Amino acid sequence: MGTGLAGVPAAGAALRLRDRVLGPDHPVVMAVVNRTPDSFYAPARYDDAGADAAVARAEEEGADVVDLGGVRAGRGPRVEPDEEIARVVPLVERVRRRHPDLLVSVDTWRSSVARAAALAGADLVNDTWAGHDPELVAVAAEHRLGVVCSHTGGARPRTDPFRVAYPRTSPRLSDEHASDERASDEHASDPLDGVVDDVVATLAAAARRAVDLGIDPASVLVDPTHDFGKNTWHSLHLVRRTSALVALGHPVLMAFSRKDFVGETLGLPAEERLEGTLAATAVAAWLGARVFRAHDVRATRRTLDMVAAIRADRAPELAVRGMA
């Protein structure tokens, strides 16, 4: 993996879905399309017609995957499984029919929703609540789908973190999994590495279960799940330690887009968090993360392609300056 250039971190594992491999020269953009009336980011609240238009726009702007969700991640009115299926599954069917080259992810923690989405043609289940429904990964394996393994620190679905703490119980765990020389003695005493230890251990175990059930390791994504069960210091530290996640050997998914840790860091509302999101995206991409869940597809695509070129993972589109 990686370019082998001095000073350039190793590239992360490539993503394989539907017999397609997206390698280091093409970082993956996963476009957020929510069929919800109460998304935390108002421009991402779509009805049926709006969702169809959002999918078409995402493909045009360079998305490789669309992540379709029917329930807001945070607190809000209860949405029963039947209602979630009604919001999401017809959209999966339309995307598969109208946009055959797009990969389709469904953002759900419920195995019943995952099964209905699989039968409708989904390629990936994005379980943002860390296996709360233990049958979900089995559904993914049964239908030969990819799966996202996430970390919430034990938080239950649709709850917010409260005074969470991750003491260092295994001082060298994150260092053992890190892939670059910097994750050594200089980091061993950092108290914030407790969150890295917990995330790495949780994701390693979840990914191992998915592989043991028969899911292709290249179709098992690992997501540290910023904000979920974490405070802003934790989320910032996990960006710094992206290499420890890359070392797990699975494609690393980063879902930064307009999240609270970006807003709290810069003191900005969701509508003004694009630049902060792209800064985190560039750092994680440089360190080898492979897949990025984003509301702003075009900006994310351009950021990732630029980072890939700096890493020497891809060539510039044009290189004539100074050549004539």
Side-chain angles (χ1 to χ4, degrees):
M1 295 188 299
T3 63
L5 296 178
V8 177
L15 172 68
R16 182 161 50 236
L17 291 174
R18 206 199 305 167
D19 297 322
R20 290 166 50 189
V21 178
L22 298 173
D25 61 330
H26 186 83
V28 178
V29 178
M30 175 188 283
V32 180
V33 178
N34 289 325
R35 269 291 289 110
T36 57
D38 57 350
S39 170
F40 82 98
Y41 179 48
R45 300 169 186 167
Y46 299 114
D47 58 14
D48 271 344
D52 290 343
V55 169
R57 183 168 61 252
E59 183 176 43
E60 179 182 341
E61 293 182 354
D64 307 288
V65 185
V66 287
D67 190 41
L68 311 179
V71 181
R72 176 180 176 165
R75 296 179 184 274
R78 178 173 174 80
V79 179
E80 299 295 340
D82 286 350
E83 174 61 20
E84 186 181 357
I85 289 171
R87 290 178 178 181
V88 171
V89 170
L91 182 56
V92 173
E93 294 171 341
R94 294 197 300 273
V95 174
R96 175 59 69 236
R97 184 171 65 252
R98 299 173 185 174
H99 307 274
D101 292 333
L102 267 179
L103 296 165
V104 179
S105 170
V106 171
D107 180 356
T108 187
W109 75 90
R110 291 164 164 159
S111 58
S112 60
V113 178
R115 186 179 301 279
L119 294 173
D123 302 294
L124 176 69
V125 180
N126 182 11
D127 178 11
T128 53
W129 288 103
H132 177 77
D133 181 342
E135 296 304 313
L136 184 143
V137 67
V139 170
E142 176 188 350
H143 292 275
R144 303 181 63 83
L145 307 185
V147 68
V148 176
C149 299
S150 61
H151 174 277
T152 65
R156 296 175 62 82
R158 309 194 70 193
T159 62
D160 294 326
F162 180 70
R163 295 183 180 177
V164 290
Y166 295 94
R168 293 215 74 183
T169 56
S170 177
R172 305 293 294 190
L173 179 59
S174 63
D175 302 330
E176 291 169 1
H177 286 280
S179 61
D180 66 298
E181 295 177 357
R182 292 173 300 165
S184 56
D185 291 340
E186 65 187 277
H187 290 161
S189 61
D190 191 328
L192 279 174
D193 271 344
V195 71
V196 184
D197 296 340
D198 200 90
V199 167
V200 168
T202 298
L203 295 182
R208 186 161 53 247
R209 181 180 179 224
V211 172
D212 287 347
L213 286 170
I215 300 177
D216 181 348
S219 300
V220 177
L221 292 80
V222 291
D223 176 8
T225 326
H226 297 76
D227 278 0
F228 286 48
K230 302 166 188 72
N231 62 32
T232 288
W233 297 109
H234 295 141
S235 291
L236 290 169
H237 196 64
L238 285 164
V239 180
R240 298 182 199 114
R241 296 292 195 267
T242 296
S243 295
L245 304 170
V246 172
L248 288 171
H250 298 279
V252 174
L253 167 66
M254 293 296 194
F256 299 140
S257 191
R258 299 181 179 268
K259 278 190 170 178
D260 283 349
F261 86 95
V262 175
E264 290 190 358
T265 299
L266 300 177
L268 295 172
E271 292 74 19
E272 298 181 33
R273 297 174 185 172
L274 175 58
E275 297 91 343
T277 296
L278 295 178
T281 296
V283 170
W286 173 256
L287 293 174
R290 172 65 58 233
V291 185
F292 293 82
R293 186 176 183 270
H295 296 93
D296 305 277
V297 173
R298 179 178 283 118
T300 303
R301 173 83 274 151
R302 290 174 177 173
T303 298
L304 292 174
D305 287 349
M306 189 67 190
V307 173
I310 295 169
R311 285 177 43 87
D313 292 332
R314 73 186 297 270
E317 293 291 328
L318 181 68
V320 297
R321 182 174 176 81
M323 301 298 287

